[in-house]
Amino acid sequence: MKRDIQIIRSQRKTIALEVREDLTVVVRAPLGLPEDAIRRFLREKEGWIADHLAKMEARRQSAFPGFTRHEVEELANRAMEDIPARVARFAPLVGVSYGRITIRNQISRWGSCSSQGNLSFNCLLMLCPPEIADYVVVHELCHRRHMNHSAAFWAEVARVIPDYKARRSWLKEQGGALIYRMRNMERT
């Protein structure tokens, strides 16, 4: 079956793939990369694409109902009690200060850090194991030192959370089902 393929060109230096929930395959490519190089890349990644399309299709057909507004409100309330305490615990370990902390019901991010030092976290962290919430908090606090994902940034994360790669993998593998439920939140 032929799939929709969307090509997004930007100033990036590398080529990357994404499979979206609507089963669209997205190729992110450098501005000057020739079309034949993109086609060759897609051929080389056929197995990866097929695996990820199958996983996404299974997720779409699974029995993951959307959250109710009440459930999301409860998660946000829990997060407002839990997350600031985690931030206060880890900020001295990272050696940074921070501004405001907000909790949101996001559908694409686990956390973010503004250039002013304000931190935002996804209320779904309350459904993750505590060590995963710790990883996200440390990740965002490390952005107070490095507003990028450079080697220096990851070294800082590793200094505080040596097993961060396993925690990051958990989010990539298990977190998708939670995000899917948030995207399908009941709109009543």
Side-chain angles (χ1 to χ4, degrees):
M1 177 180 205
K2 186 160 173 71
R3 294 283 176 199
D4 290 331
I5 297 176
Q6 179 182 6
I7 298 172
I8 300 173
R9 293 181 178 271
S10 67
Q11 294 290 338
R12 65 181 299 125
K13 295 178 182 175
T14 59
I15 189 168
L17 278 174
E18 173 188 358
V19 174
R20 293 190 175 157
E21 284 186 25
D22 65 359
L23 303 181
T24 299
V25 176
V26 178
V27 178
R28 298 184 187 281
L31 288 172
L33 190 68
E35 289 289 327
D36 63 329
I38 294 172
R39 284 193 296 274
R40 187 171 46 254
F41 177 76
L42 285 167
R43 279 192 304 275
E44 290 170 1
K45 298 295 183 181
E46 281 178 351
W48 183 95
I49 293 168
D51 288 347
H52 282 76
L53 284 169
K55 286 178 187 175
M56 192 62 72
E57 182 65 38
R59 185 183 299 161
R60 286 170 53 134
Q61 293 179 4
S62 68
F64 288 129
F67 290 108
T68 65
R69 288 196 181 280
H70 179 70
E71 288 171 320
V72 172
E73 287 172 12
E74 284 183 4
L75 288 173
N77 289 337
R78 281 180 45 209
M80 276 310 295
E81 293 177 17
D82 182 85
I83 298 294
R86 290 177 192 279
V87 172
R89 186 173 81 230
F90 283 106
L93 295 174
V94 177
V96 296
S97 61
Y98 54 92
R100 215 170 359 106
I101 297 173
T102 57
I103 304 297
R104 294 195 166 96
N105 55 341
Q106 298 171 304
I107 60 171
S108 63
R109 294 178 182 235
W110 292 102
S112 63
C113 175
S114 75
S115 58
Q116 294 80 33
N118 296 322
L119 305 173
S120 178
F121 296 96
N122 193 324
C123 67
L124 294 178
L125 287 171
M126 296 299 90
L127 297 175
C128 298
E131 63 272 14
I132 302 304
D134 288 345
Y135 159 69
V136 173
V137 165
V138 169
H139 181 113
E140 298 312 327
L141 286 169
C142 288
H143 279 310
R144 294 292 293 129
R145 290 192 173 278
H146 307 279
M147 286 299 284
N148 55 43
H149 289 110
S150 64
F153 167 84
W154 290 114
E156 189 68 25
V157 173
R159 184 181 65 77
V160 180
I161 309 254
D163 69 338
Y164 81 89
K165 288 181 182 177
R167 299 179 193 204
R168 187 173 178 219
S169 291
W170 188 97
L171 270 180
K172 287 183 176 184
E173 294 168 12
Q174 307 297 320
L178 296 172
I179 295 290
Y180 182 79
R181 288 186 66 193
M182 185 64 79
R183 285 186 176 152
N184 291 305
M185 185 173 79
E186 293 178 6
R187 304 291 179 209
T188 58

